[in-house]
Amino acid sequence: MRSTTVLVSGAGIAGPALAYWLHRFGFEVTVVERAPALRTGGQAVDFKGRTHRTVLERMGVWEEITRARTGTTDTVFVDADGRELATMPGEFTGGDVEILRGDLSRILYRRTAERCDYRFGDAVTALTETADGVRVEFERAPAERFDLVLGADGIHSRVRALAFGPESAYVEHLGYCYAVAGASPWTERTGSPERMRAYGYGAPGRLAVSGGPKAEQLYLFAGPAPDHRAEPAAQRQLVADAFAGLGGQVPRMLAELPGFDDFHLDAIARVRMPEYGRGRVALVGDAGYGNTLGGFGTGLAVVGAAVLAGELAVAGGDHTVAFPRYDALMKRYAKIAGNSNAGRFLAPRTATGIRLRNGFLRSPLLGLMTKYAESSAEDVALRDYPAALAAR
């Protein structure tokens, strides 16, 4: 192979998935992660359809994921007096198998930790491409040369900013913000089909959910993009101000909000890239085709990791061949998440919109949308890269 050393930025889901495939195909892999240790937050993610399962089975993690799966959570929309208005079934949001993000991250990390060089507590600060590689500068470590750099560092990707341009050129704010607080109620996972109920309290442009797979508390609200780097106290106050005056269990939720250590606030946004590779740098997962709370992000990340590593392997490490192939395949597949807006659906800005949402959830259209999502998750020509390489 002409290109053998690869730096992966990000150790969430896409990063360890990339590390697994790249090492399996013979690349020398380094993973750098800004956080001081593996992130183990409790938000739930899901997989749906044959394609996702095929990739996970080829990685040898499907059975482990199913053993660690959550149960099923229905989200019940209620009014201030607790009267049930509509129910969003767990099958609509949870796919075929749902697992806490922290559990999935640990599973993928364990498969790669002894084979790849993980460097926590550091981040990429500069990229300089040369004729035979990329010179990478870090916040803490000395500069180093790699054959390829792959950005798996999320919707606010630093690698994307350094290699492609400022975030404002590629990330579109969708008019809503979201916050999650507290670990998911699924503190024990038994693989059983147990069902839980979460309760959503809303008003035009606002929805607060108590319980459920995402976190102990979930907030969605219309508004400008928040500063995701602001002090946690200021972020919590922004949420408290947005939901002041809402009834039901919301006052109790807001009173508990300052006590949660596990808190995250950000914009609901989507990434629009003209290409996923440029020079010796490519993007995977949310960095290249993210759509916050769109329902397909984790599946896109693991499929994208398999496709990118596989194309690099069959091209003998030649990124000039592999990146365009990866781009063509994933551009088609990533369309499944490209146009959705979870904020607009879950927290409509008008009372009429809320009535329409509730009516939709009670109608047969919900089943049709679920089937469409399942079929869309199969819309990729997934090549059996391990078999293709073995046949050589």
Side-chain angles (χ1 to χ4, degrees):
M1 289 185 182
R2 286 181 292 167
S3 296
T4 58
T5 59
V6 183
L7 176 69
V8 176
S9 177
I13 303 302
L18 261 174
Y20 170 85
W21 287 111
L22 289 167
H23 177 270
R24 181 170 171 178
F25 294 145
F27 293 85
E28 182 182 337
V29 185
T30 299
V31 183
V32 63
E33 166 59 47
R34 173 184 290 278
L38 197 67
R39 299 177 190 268
T40 57
Q43 181 178 338
V45 296
D46 66 272
F47 298 102
K48 54 178 67 72
R50 184 181 64 254
T51 299
H52 293 178
R53 178 167 179 167
T54 296
V55 172
L56 297 170
E57 286 179 337
R58 289 176 183 172
M59 297 177 73
V61 298
W62 174 257
E63 294 300 329
E64 193 172 358
I65 287 172
T66 57
R67 287 194 298 271
R69 70 190 300 175
T70 68
T72 302
T73 301
D74 299 328
T75 301
V76 183
F77 295 90
V78 298
D79 63 17
D81 296 321
R83 289 188 294 265
E84 298 186 8
L85 305 174
T87 298
M88 185 165 62
E91 289 79 5
F92 180 67
T93 58
D96 297 333
V97 59
E98 189 174 65
I99 180 172
L100 299 182
R101 177 180 288 275
D103 289 346
L104 177 61
S105 181
R106 280 188 290 267
I107 289 171
L108 297 177
Y109 174 71
R110 285 198 299 263
R111 295 287 173 131
T112 56
E114 295 182 359
R115 303 180 178 96
C116 304
D117 178 13
Y118 277 83
R119 303 177 184 178
F120 290 97
D122 207 349
V124 176
T125 59
L127 301 173
T128 304
E129 187 165 336
T130 65
D132 62 350
V134 183
R135 185 179 187 272
V136 183
E137 296 177 39
F138 300 94
E139 288 183 355
R140 296 176 58 188
E144 195 170 343
R145 177 202 165 280
F146 296 89
D147 292 310
L148 300 172
V149 175
L150 305 180
D153 46 351
I155 205 161
H156 299 295
S157 170
R158 180 175 288 190
V159 168
R160 185 187 61 228
L162 292 171
F164 292 81
E167 181 172 306
S168 58
Y170 303 110
V171 179
E172 176 189 4
H173 175 49
L174 298 182
Y176 284 83
C177 309
Y178 79 102
V180 289
S184 165
W186 289 108
T187 55
E188 295 182 5
R189 279 78 68 194
T190 63
S192 72
E194 180 185 356
R195 298 189 79 91
M196 292 181 66
R197 295 186 114 199
Y199 292 91
Y201 306 88
R206 295 181 290 172
L207 176 68
V209 180
S210 176
K214 295 300 181 188
E216 194 165 338
Q217 296 184 1
L218 167 67
Y219 299 91
L220 295 170
F221 57 101
D227 183 358
H228 66 279
R229 296 163 297 188
E231 290 297 321
Q235 293 183 341
R236 287 178 172 85
Q237 189 60 51
L238 177 64
V239 174
D241 292 343
F243 284 85
L246 213 60
Q249 293 296 312
V250 177
R252 185 266 304 167
M253 294 170 63
L254 294 177
E256 295 174 353
L257 185 59
F260 290 117
D261 292 330
D262 191 0
F263 175 86
H264 177 75
L265 170 71
D266 207 343
I268 293 181
R270 61 178 163 228
V271 180
R272 301 285 201 188
M273 297 298 300
E275 55 191 357
Y276 301 139
R278 177 173 294 179
R280 292 176 175 268
V281 179
L283 306 173
V284 183
D286 284 352
Y289 28 86
N291 188 332
T292 312
L293 303 181
F296 293 93
T298 307
L300 282 169
V302 298
V303 173
V307 171
L308 177 53
E311 291 297 339
L312 281 168
V314 297
D318 187 347
H319 64 283
T320 65
V321 174
F323 285 179
R325 290 177 178 171
Y326 163 69
D327 195 81
L329 283 167
M330 291 307 296
K331 274 287 174 59
R332 174 184 172 90
Y333 191 45
K335 287 180 180 179
I336 59 177
N339 295 314
S340 63
N341 184 338
R344 187 170 56 196
F345 173 71
L346 293 172
R349 292 174 181 263
T350 65
T352 299
I354 291 175
R355 288 193 295 270
L356 290 172
R357 178 203 66 195
N358 293 343
F360 171 81
L361 291 172
R362 295 191 296 263
S363 77
L365 292 174
L366 179 64
L368 294 176
M369 179 174 282
T370 303
K371 290 181 179 178
Y372 171 76
E374 292 172 351
S375 63
S376 296
E378 309 299 332
D379 191 18
V380 62
L382 185 64
R383 187 175 181 183
D384 189 343
Y385 295 105
L389 291 168
R392 288 186 171 185

